[in-house]
Amino acid sequence: MSVENRSEALDSKVFDFILACFERKLEKARIDWKQPIGLRDRLYRWVGDQQIEIGNNYRMWHWLLNLPDREYCPRIQLFSNCFHAHFNGYTDEERIRALDKNLYGHLPHILVQFAYELNSKSYKRQAADTAYQVKQRQAVLKSQIDTLLSQYSRILPFRFDLYYYDKFKDEVSSVEFRQHLDEFSRQIRKTCNFAEEGKQDVEILFFARLAEQGKMTGHYHVHYLIILDGKYHRNVYRFETIADALWRRITEEKGYLSDYQEETSYGRPNISEHVIHRGDTECIESLYFAANYLAKNGTDSGKDQYLRCKPKGMELFACSHRRK
């Protein structure tokens, strides 16, 4: 398969899963890292049995690691650093020739260093940092919502998602995804896009959004929560209709807006599309819960949907108080 026909989203998701399996196997190997004598030789013997799957998928990950101006999730970034350090001083052409000629001569050296890095304190610290970051996000979201409730007696939340149709999802690159998301975020803040004669402007009082990849195929999507003034807006029909049209236009009809219309969500009242009064404790708790979902982050390939490969500088999470 040529690079032109590969899916950046799918390849990065699969490669991260392969590296996660390598990491779990390394943990189960119970290597005694406190015994440095002979440690590198033991690691070389161990990676000898682990390199086949990574080597067999060489065409998949090699192009990913050479995409311009990309940032990777922790495991892929770690592997990328080891890979490029091993070939330091090589030109691109020399590196490709070396890999094509003797991939399994180079791969053990890269994987041994990768194993060392996986055991480093800096890498292990990332899990704790991620958990702390989630708590920070949740605290900020709650504070923003509480501030809003102190200013408005009635609010109208709307929880929706932005997707790409199945036939297009593999061809959308992370750069295009970022462009689409940035443009959509700009357009929904323009009241002129929602103007309707004789009706109150649609002004977003609060927003939070999270860009992710799907569990199975790695497809890009966005979770969004916006809040409108419940005094002037009894439903989200006008916002939803126009926002959907905007996303379709921006993605050139590759994408669509999806909302959840059931009465309950995760065993709680579905807050989307219902006016919430300041004193409605149950619905406000459900609103906190919905906002907290957008604060999540993770490093477990089996469960989480964080972006594995993204353009440099792209914010996966954003809310009202942050740079937009």
Side-chain angles (χ1 to χ4, degrees), residues 212-264:
E212 289 190 322
Q213 286 183 248
K215 291 181 182 179
M216 301 303 294
T217 61
H219 59 280
Y220 298 130
H221 61 277
V222 190
H223 300 300
Y224 239 107
L225 172 65
I226 61 108
I227 296 179
L228 306 178
D229 191 340
K231 178 180 177 181
Y232 299 107
H233 305 288
R234 309 305 297 172
N235 61 66
V236 298
Y237 177 77
R238 183 160 41 130
F239 176 87
E240 179 179 8
T241 302
I242 295 173
D244 181 47
L246 286 170
W247 182 244
R248 290 176 186 275
R249 176 179 63 78
I250 290 166
T251 62
E252 299 179 330
E253 299 298 326
K254 295 178 182 178
Y256 65 96
L257 182 149
S258 173
D259 68 324
Y260 185 78
Q261 299 182 350
E262 300 297 328
E263 288 297 320
T264 60

Side-chain angles (χ1 to χ4, degrees), residues 122-277:
S122 60
Y123 177 74
K124 292 180 179 296
R125 193 183 304 122
Q126 290 185 59
D129 290 344
T130 295
Y132 177 70
Q133 184 184 57
V134 171
K135 289 183 178 180
Q136 280 190 312
R137 290 179 179 181
Q138 291 174 342
V140 167
L141 290 172
K142 186 178 185 302
S143 175
Q144 291 289 307
I145 292 172
D146 286 344
T147 299
L148 200 63
L149 288 168
S150 71
Q151 298 169 344
Y152 297 87
S153 60
R154 287 171 287 176
I155 59 174
L156 176 62
F158 182 36
R159 175 71 176 79
F160 63 93
D161 306 304
L162 302 174
Y163 288 106
Y164 294 96
Y165 288 107
D166 286 349
K167 63 180 178 180
F168 298 120
K169 64 186 180 184
D170 284 341
E171 67 183 57
V172 177
S173 71
S174 64
V175 171
E176 292 172 309
F177 179 49
R178 178 189 188 178
Q179 292 169 343
H180 294 162
L181 178 54
D182 286 350
E183 180 62 16
F184 178 82
S185 299
R186 282 192 292 269
Q187 293 300 327
I188 62 171
R189 291 197 297 274
K190 294 182 178 179
T191 56
C192 60
N193 284 327
F194 303 89
E196 193 171 326
E197 188 174 355
K199 293 190 176 182
Q200 180 74 20
D201 284 344
V202 176
E203 180 183 359
I204 296 175
L205 305 178
F206 166 88
F207 85 91
R209 60 109 176 124
L210 178 67
E212 289 190 322
Q213 286 183 248
K215 291 181 182 179
M216 301 303 294
T217 61
H219 59 280
Y220 298 130
H221 61 277
V222 190
H223 300 300
Y224 239 107
L225 172 65
I226 61 108
I227 296 179
L228 306 178
D229 191 340
K231 178 180 177 181
Y232 299 107
H233 305 288
R234 309 305 297 172
N235 61 66
V236 298
Y237 177 77
R238 183 160 41 130
F239 176 87
E240 179 179 8
T241 302
I242 295 173
D244 181 47
L246 286 170
W247 182 244
R248 290 176 186 275
R249 176 179 63 78
I250 290 166
T251 62
E252 299 179 330
E253 299 298 326
K254 295 178 182 178
Y256 65 96
L257 182 149
S258 173
D259 68 324
Y260 185 78
Q261 299 182 350
E262 300 297 328
E263 288 297 320
T264 60
S265 175
Y266 295 98
R268 297 170 179 265
N270 181 13
I271 51 88
S272 194
E273 306 185 47
H274 299 292
V275 173
I276 296 178
H277 293 259

Side-chain angles (χ1 to χ4, degrees), residues 20-83:
C21 292
F22 180 93
E23 182 178 14
R24 285 193 290 270
K25 289 177 181 177
L26 183 63
E27 290 175 355
K28 292 179 180 179
R30 299 185 181 280
I31 292 176
D32 189 354
W33 299 93
K34 296 180 180 180
Q35 295 295 328
I37 298 176
L39 175 58
R40 186 167 290 272
D41 289 337
R42 291 195 297 274
L43 284 174
Y44 270 107
R45 288 194 295 272
W46 183 81
V47 301
D49 297 328
Q50 313 303 322
Q51 64 179 329
I52 301 301
E53 185 174 18
I54 294 176
N56 286 345
N57 289 281
Y58 154 61
R59 300 294 176 187
M60 176 186 71
W61 53 260
H62 184 253
W63 83 287
L64 279 176
L65 302 188
N66 292 283
L67 288 173
D69 300 319
R70 296 299 201 279
E71 294 176 342
Y72 302 97
C73 68
R75 268 185 297 265
I76 294 181
Q77 187 61 59
L78 212 60
F79 183 89
S80 177
N81 293 344
C82 296
F83 175 80

Side-chain angles (χ1 to χ4, degrees), residues 61-117:
W61 53 260
H62 184 253
W63 83 287
L64 279 176
L65 302 188
N66 292 283
L67 288 173
D69 300 319
R70 296 299 201 279
E71 294 176 342
Y72 302 97
C73 68
R75 268 185 297 265
I76 294 181
Q77 187 61 59
L78 212 60
F79 183 89
S80 177
N81 293 344
C82 296
F83 175 80
H84 288 292
H86 176 76
F87 287 106
N88 184 36
Y90 284 64
T91 65
D92 290 344
E93 292 76 14
E94 288 171 342
R95 183 184 67 242
I96 292 170
R97 283 199 299 271
L99 288 168
D100 285 341
K101 183 178 180 180
N102 189 17
L103 171 64
Y104 291 100
H106 294 278
L107 198 52
H109 304 290
I110 297 168
L111 290 178
V112 165
Q113 190 57 42
F114 181 54
Y116 272 108
E117 296 300 326

